[in-house]
Amino acid sequence: TGQSHIYSIDVMSAKVNWVKSHNLSLSADANSLFAYNDTLILPTKNVELNTYSNGGCNKLVALDAHDASQLWEYQLDDLVWNAAVATPGDGSLLVATNCGGVVKISWDGKLIWKSGTSITGKSCSAGGGALGEDGVYYTEYNDNDGTPLASQAVIAAYQVTDGMLLWNMTFDYGGWQYPAVGRLGDNGPLALVAAIGGITAAPGKDANR
């Protein structure tokens, strides 16, 4: 726990509009600050509930984009690694945990639905979720507690409206990354790309290589 500093910078002049400090604990992994609808969503760490010491966030904090005053906070059941929050533009937020859980919350920090798996206090992967233009939220994660040589990538698709699982697939290599979804060219098909294998190595005879 310590002082976290939030900067507002003018994109045209590069001048600092303001700097605000909050007593928030941030994780060492590569979390993203999400800005939308005059609101900042900051992934943070509740150190009393986060028993995994190496990183990961387990709380979302919403700040007013005009002055960084706190609006609300939402406590997650398990860890989010390299947090990348998304919104379908319907007054809600989506985030995926690193063990396969998916959470949809309202813009005022209230739970709408939870889906997928939840493993409190463990790190399964560095994976997460990506929102498609087709109203589907795609996730990638490992189906275990991160044991390197026993990792299997799980790719899953959830309906954004109600969290219903549409499909999932399991591969005999690790699922350590976020998936990506988008069009293949201006008029191309919608495609899901999921990197599987080790974090720094190509797939091999071992499940995590």
Side-chain angles (χ1 to χ4, degrees):
T1 302
Q3 288 292 309
S4 300
H5 307 292
I6 298 95
Y7 289 77
S8 172
I9 300 174
D10 189 293
V11 296
M12 299 301 294
S13 66
K15 292 183 178 179
V16 176
N17 297 320
W18 48 255
V19 182
K20 302 291 183 179
S21 297
H22 282 274
N23 189 29
L24 299 171
S25 180
L26 303 182
S27 179
D29 47 304
N31 298 295
S32 300
L33 178 66
F34 183 72
Y36 184 81
N37 197 28
D38 295 326
T39 305
L40 306 176
I41 306 298
L42 181 64
T44 66
K45 188 174 183 178
N46 184 335
V47 294
E48 294 180 358
L49 297 178
N50 187 348
T51 58
Y52 188 75
S53 60
N54 290 337
C57 290
N58 61 348
K59 184 170 69 173
L60 300 178
V61 175
L63 307 175
D64 190 308
H66 297 104
D67 59 8
S69 59
Q70 184 167 327
L71 302 174
W72 51 262
E73 62 181 48
Y74 181 84
Q75 179 64 53
L76 296 159
D77 290 339
D78 51 335
L79 297 177
V80 178
W81 203 272
N82 300 332
V85 179
T87 179
D90 63 352
S92 69
L93 299 167
L94 289 160
V95 66
T97 68
N98 77 139
C99 289
V102 181
V103 178
K104 184 179 184 182
I105 61 177
S106 65
W107 208 255
D108 57 355
K110 302 296 191 299
L111 177 66
I112 298 175
W113 53 254
K114 288 194 296 185
S115 195
T117 59
S118 179
I119 304 177
T120 302
K122 289 187 177 182
S123 179
C124 302
S125 72
L131 178 62
E133 64 180 64
D134 53 351
V136 177
Y137 190 69
Y138 301 92
T139 65
E140 178 179 354
Y141 62 98
N142 284 322
D143 68 344
N144 60 7
D145 62 357
T147 304
L149 298 184
S151 300
Q152 286 187 309
V154 179
I155 315 298
Y158 296 90
Q159 191 165 272
V160 168
T161 53
D162 57 7
M164 182 178 70
L165 176 65
L166 300 176
W167 55 261
N168 61 21
M169 300 179 68
T170 301
F171 299 87
D172 288 331
Y173 302 108
W176 295 92
Q177 310 297 332
Y178 274 63
V181 58
R183 294 280 173 188
L184 297 179
D186 293 338
N187 300 309
L190 188 67
L192 176 68
V193 178
I196 61 174
I199 297 177
T200 58
K205 65 178 181 179
D206 293 327
N208 188 43
R209 297 186 61 189

